[in-house]
Amino acid sequence: MRRLLFLLLMGTGIVSAQKTMQLSEGQESPTASLKEVAWIEGSWSGEAFGGTAEEIWSAPLGDSMMFVFRLVNDNKVSFYEVGHIQQLENSLILQLKHFDGNLKGWEDKIETIDFKLVKLEKNKVYFEGLTMELVDKNHMNVYVLIEENGEAEEILFAYSKKP
């Protein structure tokens, strides 16, 4: 399961899908700023993989928006993520690290999982293999491209904003 979750959140599938995108070879990320994705800020939760998924996003500050994620199954944390969307020169990048329920890291200490910006629209941001879409002020969809055994599939995380 750890490998599946790792691949799920890595979003490195080569196959293109309906809601997620990839940069073409040699293509650079477009110009963007954090204020264009500030709508992500908030505490979000929804169901995923038989449990509860929760993401908490900060407002932009210090050229980043930080977040934490946890998946809870049977009242136990399956895993955490810690990361940010960072202003990198004139564009954005989403970077994260995974931790198990006891905060033991999955990646080497200098390794991050990186999602480069592909495209930005009003209330929608496409990173490589991961798309975030503000449906309305209280609902956000996150689509993640997973690859397993050479097959790619998009998974929807339908979040509601917590009060």
Side-chain angles (χ1 to χ4, degrees):
M1 178 161 184
R2 178 175 162 177
R3 178 164 167 69
L4 172 63
L5 292 172
F6 178 74
L7 290 172
L8 164 74
L9 294 160
M10 261 183 56
T12 57
I14 297 170
V15 177
S16 108
Q18 293 183 342
K19 301 286 185 177
T20 59
M21 303 174 113
Q22 300 289 329
L23 289 171
S24 301
E25 190 173 328
Q27 181 183 4
E28 292 189 22
S29 293
T31 300
S33 71
L34 286 170
K35 67 182 174 183
E36 294 172 278
V37 296
W39 52 265
I40 298 169
E41 177 187 355
S43 182
W44 303 90
S45 67
E47 294 181 17
F49 300 108
T52 301
E54 180 181 37
E55 291 190 26
I56 303 168
W57 284 87
S58 74
L61 179 65
D63 287 336
S64 74
M65 290 178 68
M66 67 178 173
F67 77 92
V68 290
F69 169 96
R70 70 177 166 185
L71 179 64
V72 176
N73 293 93
D74 300 321
N75 290 319
K76 294 191 187 234
V77 174
S78 296
F79 73 97
Y80 295 101
E81 292 177 349
V82 175
H84 63 189
I85 296 176
Q86 181 180 28
Q87 186 78 49
L88 191 61
E89 298 178 11
N90 293 323
S91 193
L92 304 173
I93 188 167
L94 190 152
Q95 297 176 299
L96 61 86
K97 288 180 130 340
H98 297 91
F99 300 87
D100 68 16
N102 292 316
L103 291 180
K104 293 187 173 112
W106 293 8
E107 293 85 22
D108 289 333
K109 65 181 179 178
I110 62 169
E111 181 185 0
T112 58
I113 306 301
D114 297 349
F115 300 85
K116 293 179 180 177
L117 181 66
V118 177
K119 183 178 177 182
L120 188 61
E121 297 176 353
K122 182 178 170 53
N123 297 331
K124 194 180 251 188
V125 58
Y126 298 88
F127 293 98
E128 287 192 304
L130 188 150
T131 300
M132 302 172 89
E133 169 187 40
L134 185 65
V135 176
D136 61 43
K137 69 179 184 172
N138 292 312
H139 298 92
M140 176 173 65
N141 289 334
V142 177
Y143 301 91
V144 181
L145 185 65
I146 63 167
E147 185 178 334
E148 185 175 22
N149 300 325
E151 303 223 356
E153 177 185 4
E154 279 182 349
I155 301 297
L156 168 63
F157 290 77
Y159 287 123
S160 294
K161 199 168 217 177
K162 295 170 73 176

